[in-house]
Amino acid sequence: MRYQSFGEFWPHYLREHSRPSTRLYHYVGTSLVVGLAAAALARRKPLLFAAIPVAGYGFAWAGHALAERNRPATFTYPSWSLRADFRMWALGMSGQLKPHLISAGVSTTPSIS
């Protein structure tokens, strides 16, 4: 299925990040991205910008490989995936992600697997 809008893509993105550990990898990577960008701007060190894709994609792709065991959406929907990652991060950090997960059909009940 090809998604025609970000609104259609968003639930798919959340289903591709159904495991809390996958989301945690993303949160770490995205937090590093934000920190590196802030440090690069504050310290006027443009070389720090080079570390941003490594930090962001490195942690995200590790989460997909090690926890979710699926192919990152980045390869099919690069811009929507980046936008969704920041949205998931912001909602997760503010404690507002759960209703979005439920709406997308992602279980929010902890499992023992």
Side-chain angles (χ1 to χ4, degrees):
M1 175 179 182
R2 288 292 296 170
Y3 297 101
Q4 301 301 313
S5 69
F6 181 77
E8 290 177 3
F9 174 75
W10 174 240
H12 164 75
Y13 183 86
L14 292 176
R15 288 188 294 273
E16 293 294 303
H17 298 80
S18 64
R19 294 177 179 258
S21 55
T22 305
R23 293 192 298 274
L24 181 60
Y25 277 101
H26 276 263
Y27 296 156
V28 170
T30 303
S31 295
L32 285 171
V33 164
V34 171
L36 285 166
L41 292 171
R43 296 182 181 175
R44 299 177 191 203
K45 301 278 186 184
L47 195 55
L48 286 176
F49 282 113
I52 288 175
V54 175
Y57 288 119
F59 275 92
W61 293 350
H64 286 282
L66 300 172
E68 202 74 42
R69 301 195 188 275
N70 63 11
R71 185 174 185 260
T74 305
F75 300 120
T76 311
Y77 299 94
S79 60
W80 285 349
S81 179
L82 181 62
R83 178 178 168 189
D85 186 61
F86 278 100
R87 183 178 188 193
M88 182 175 71
W89 176 76
L91 290 168
M93 295 298 105
S94 65
Q96 299 174 8
L97 184 61
K98 188 174 181 176
H100 294 266
L101 293 170
I102 292 168
S103 178
V106 176
S107 173
T108 58
T109 305
S111 66
I112 306 177
S113 57

